């Protein structure tokens, strides 16, 4: 066996795309996920999401909804319309939490939704729920 310490919910190299334009949030999400054993690809620019996702082939996408120049809801719909990415689960994370927003986000194809500010425990629980078990 490896000398690596066992991390609760260790990911066995599962890949997560983190789409977040806020530098501090993106760094926090990536640091927490890497500490959990995940391989992470950060994306700050919504215009790059589809190209990066096709290249990186993530097991999960974490999607900010309020991005400059493009809606995260539109990006979720675009990911779901791409045959290579359609089965990838999406966790939407946003401060944009008005009445009906969660319904619109889920209708676009997100499997789960967290509103900001995000606590690490619920964030990691949502990630583990959405990723297939490895073993």
């Amino acid at each position: 066996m490896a000398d690596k310490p066992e991390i609760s919910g260790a990911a066995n190299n599962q890949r997560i795309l983190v789409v977040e334009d806020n530098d501090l949030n993106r760094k926090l999400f990536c640091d927490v996920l890497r500490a959990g054993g995940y391989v992470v690809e950060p994306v700050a620019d919504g215009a790059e999401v589809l190209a990066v996702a096709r290249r990186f082939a993530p097991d999960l996408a974490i999607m900010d909804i309020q991005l400059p120049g493009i809606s995260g809801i539109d990006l979720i719909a675009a990911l779901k319309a791409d045959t290579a990415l359609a089965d990838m689960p999406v966790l939407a994370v946003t401060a944009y939490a008005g009445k009906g927003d969660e319904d619109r986000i889920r209708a676009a194809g997100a499997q789960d939704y967290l509103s900001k500010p995000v606590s690490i425990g619920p964030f990691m629980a949502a990630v583990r729920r959405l990723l297939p078990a490895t073993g």
Side-chain angles (χ1 to χ4, degrees):
M1 290 283 183
D3 293 327
K4 194 166 64 171
E6 184 62 31
I7 298 172
S8 176
N12 298 326
N13 294 319
Q14 287 175 309
R15 302 160 72 83
I16 301 178
L17 183 71
V18 176
V19 181
E20 170 62 68
D21 64 309
N22 179 283
D23 293 339
L24 292 175
N25 287 340
R26 189 174 58 254
K27 180 175 178 2
L28 173 65
F29 294 160
C30 290
D31 288 350
V32 167
L33 292 166
R34 286 183 183 119
Y38 298 97
V39 177
V40 179
E41 182 70 26
V43 178
D45 184 347
E48 298 176 2
V49 168
L50 287 175
V52 172
R54 288 180 188 125
R55 177 180 48 78
F56 183 62
D59 298 298
L60 171 67
I62 295 172
M63 179 71 65
D64 184 18
I65 297 303
Q66 288 183 298
L67 296 165
I70 188 164
S71 163
I73 293 174
D74 292 341
L75 287 173
I76 293 168
L79 289 169
K80 294 302 179 176
D82 187 303
T83 55
L85 302 168
D87 293 334
M88 175 187 58
V90 176
L91 171 60
V93 181
T94 186
Y96 180 62
K99 185 171 177 56
D101 292 334
E102 182 175 354
D103 292 338
R104 282 194 297 281
I105 290 166
R106 288 183 184 276
Q111 281 71 24
D112 207 347
Y113 169 90
L114 292 172
S115 57
K116 294 177 185 173
V118 174
S119 297
I120 298 307
F123 175 76
M124 290 306 293
V127 167
R128 285 189 292 271
R129 271 194 314 273
L130 292 172
L131 282 170
T134 59

